[in-house]
Amino acid sequence: MATATDRPHPARHRAPAPPWRASPAVVLQAAAWAGGIAVLALWWRDTGAVVGAAGWLTGAGRITGLLCGYMCALLVALMARVPWLESRVGSDRAARWHASAGRWTIGLLLAHVLLIVLGYAAQAQVAVVRELGTIVFDLPEMLKATAGALILLAVGYTSARAVRRRMRYETWYHLHLFTYAAVFLGFSHQLALGADFVSNAPARAAWYALYLSVACLVLYFRVLTPVRLNLRHRIRVEAVVPEGPGVHSVWMRGRRLDRLDARPGQFLRWRFLTPGMRGASHPYSLSAVPRDDLMRITVKTLGDHSAAVAALRPGTRVWAEGPYGALTAARRSRRKVLLVAGGTGITPLRTLFETLPAAPGDLTLLYRARSPEELALSEELEAVAAARGARLVYVLNAPDGSRARITAQRLRAIVPDIDRHDVYLCGPRGLSLAAYDALREAGVPASRIHHESFEL
């Protein structure tokens, strides 16, 4: 473990940290549940007496179908990358909501199909397989709805963690985009066959308003906003600089980059317009405070895309989307701050280390790595620490290779008053989970541990 020497520096004016506004997560979740309750109320209003097994099965099928349609709208809304949502709630939490909504959607879809087929078969007193064929081939809009359902099931299968980890990111990304087609194919059958919409004009109008609103979100934030950003800033690769074993920084030049309003700690999604890299955008954090004409990301080789970053040529066009993320100074609530980084988790914390308003001694960066060679950007960090009177602590494996763990005891030894700190945490999943548990054991409230994960 090495610690940079604290050095005094000339006093300077520092702007106070912006006040953290409470996350709207609870309000948004309550609104989503309220919408689900409204959907159930629609079924209740339009349903008379439920008689017999066929009636109960069909009624349950209608309920699950309505809820599945509602969840499809929420699912697509969470794919829209609304900046307000991703910056206030956090991109990782929005991604978890999207994954949860996806699981609910698939479950409700399967239940809807099974219950409706069983209910209709019981009502017509025919075999289940025969009734399934009748529903698919004879009812209006059902061929499209069946295609949409199959697409959703395929997307759900490839999104399972065990399957997803064996797929290339680009393959998973493009398959995931078919969700839009699946929802579009299924929408018309909801209105054509849904008993709650056929004779209920206000319900139809509300359903159209819901889906059109979601479509507008996607069109504006996934299409028009990125087009405007890239036409305005015209970003190109300026240089690729090696920073350590398997780690490279990409400097990019553009016009009026200050108008991006990218805050320290945030990330953008990058698509490099060169063969083999056009297919999908990847999230990388800014690793330097943006200038009017330059900005930088630092990437560690972890897969095909990140490995190709090292071979980017100057002049390569870049398509960017963002900025996103809530790991910013706005979350701070205490005077003292501890930053805990591991691996390329150092990239967003590097910019916070330079810019977080703090008096000498109030800011500490703990950087976990296996060896000194893997300490990316260490020279810059040491210069920032010296200039600001901040503490920089490296936690490295022992010479014999034994792992140096981040424990509550180690944290208290480094920062004795750690329970009086805000903590920003960013790193690989295993390190982040272990560090989070150690921070909680050391007395840091969960509300003051700020972290963001960019895993799929």
Side-chain angles (χ1 to χ4, degrees):
M1 182 175 69
T3 306
T5 303
D6 291 352
R7 302 179 187 177
H9 61 93
R12 65 186 73 177
H13 171 73
R14 296 190 185 280
W20 168 242
R21 294 169 293 175
S23 168
V26 174
V27 174
L28 292 173
Q29 288 173 323
W33 279 103
I37 293 171
V39 169
L40 292 176
L42 174 66
W43 173 85
W44 182 269
R45 176 184 177 278
D46 294 334
T47 301
V50 179
V51 180
W56 282 104
L57 288 169
T58 303
R62 284 175 54 203
I63 292 174
T64 52
L66 285 168
L67 290 173
C68 181
Y70 174 67
M71 291 303 300
C72 281
L74 294 186
L75 186 70
V76 174
L78 289 168
M79 295 174 67
R81 295 179 187 165
V82 180
W84 178 86
L85 177 67
E86 301 219 357
S87 63
R88 291 294 306 281
V89 171
S91 296
D92 57 343
R93 178 180 282 186
R96 288 195 298 270
W97 286 358
H98 173 72
S100 178
R103 289 189 289 270
W104 275 100
T105 302
I106 296 300
L108 289 166
L109 173 64
L110 290 172
H112 170 64
V113 172
L114 178 62
L115 291 166
I116 284 293
V117 172
L118 290 175
Y120 282 16
Q123 189 175 26
Q125 297 184 340
V126 299
V128 171
V129 174
R130 179 180 175 184
E131 184 62 26
L132 176 62
T134 300
I135 291 172
V136 172
F137 294 105
D138 293 348
L139 294 184
E141 304 292 341
M142 276 306 304
L143 279 175
K144 290 193 294 183
T146 301
L150 292 174
I151 292 172
L152 271 182
L153 292 174
V155 171
Y157 173 75
T158 59
S159 296
R161 187 180 294 272
V163 177
R164 189 176 60 202
R165 285 178 171 174
R166 295 196 298 267
M167 299 179 68
R168 294 179 67 246
Y169 173 81
E170 288 76 11
T171 303
W172 173 87
Y173 175 84
H174 287 111
L175 286 174
H176 218 62
L177 292 179
F178 279 98
T179 302
Y180 297 122
V183 173
F184 173 77
L185 289 170
F187 176 73
S188 56
H189 114 278
Q190 298 175 46
L191 297 177
L193 298 178
D196 303 282
F197 299 115
V198 171
S199 59
N200 191 334
R204 284 200 310 275
W207 212 248
Y208 269 113
L210 173 65
Y211 272 77
L212 287 173
S213 297
V214 169
C216 289
L217 287 177
V218 172
L219 177 64
Y220 186 79
F221 290 111
R222 291 295 297 263
V223 180
L224 299 180
T225 297
V227 167
R228 183 180 61 182
L229 182 154
N230 288 280
L231 289 176
R232 172 188 291 176
H233 300 294
R234 300 187 180 275
I235 305 168
R236 292 181 180 270
V237 173
E238 178 76 5
V240 178
V241 180
E243 302 286 1
V247 179
H248 293 79
S249 285
V250 182
W251 285 95
M252 288 168 282
R253 185 175 296 278
R255 304 186 304 179
R256 302 188 296 274
L257 296 179
D258 55 317
R259 297 189 182 181
L260 265 176
D261 195 27
R263 291 174 287 167
Q266 290 191 302
F267 69 95
L268 289 88
R269 297 179 186 273
W270 308 92
R271 191 189 303 267
F272 298 99
L273 304 185
T274 188
M277 301 183 76
R278 293 189 179 93
S281 60
H282 288 248
Y284 296 120
S285 297
L286 296 170
S287 62
V289 178
R291 290 164 31 183
D292 290 349
D293 60 341
L294 282 175
M295 56 186 173
R296 183 185 73 180
I297 59 174
T298 300
V299 180
K300 184 174 183 178
T301 299
L302 296 172
D304 295 342
H305 187 275
S306 52
V309 166
L312 285 172
R313 296 185 177 182
T316 299
R317 290 289 303 272
V318 181
W319 186 270
E321 299 176 39
Y324 303 116
L327 198 68
T328 67
R331 304 187 78 164
R332 180 183 180 181
S333 62
R334 292 294 185 272
R335 178 171 60 89
K336 296 185 177 184
V337 178
L338 169 65
L339 310 173
V340 181
T344 52
I346 191 60
T347 54
L349 300 191
R350 151 73 180 85
T351 56
L352 288 172
F353 192 49
E354 181 179 352
T355 60
L356 274 174
D362 285 348
L363 181 62
T364 302
L365 171 60
L366 188 157
Y367 187 2
R368 170 76 176 90
R370 285 179 292 188
S371 66
E373 292 74 27
E374 294 191 6
L375 293 168
L377 310 175
S378 59
E379 292 184 4
E380 294 182 17
L381 295 171
E382 290 162 9
V384 170
R388 302 199 61 187
R391 298 184 64 212
L392 173 60
V393 180
Y394 298 143
V395 178
L396 306 173
N397 288 353
D400 63 0
S402 58
R403 185 177 181 82
R405 297 175 59 241
I406 296 179
T407 63
Q409 293 75 22
R410 185 187 290 271
L411 290 170
R412 290 195 194 100
I414 296 169
V415 188
D417 58 346
I418 190 170
D419 59 322
R420 296 167 55 190
H421 283 64
D422 266 309
V423 181
Y424 289 77
L425 171 62
C426 192
R429 177 178 173 80
L431 179 141
S432 295
L433 291 175
Y436 183 90
D437 290 341
L439 288 163
R440 295 290 289 118
E441 185 181 344
V444 183
S447 61
R448 286 198 265 117
I449 302 175
H450 316 301
H451 56 95
E452 209 161 38
S453 169
F454 309 117
E455 292 189 352
L456 297 180

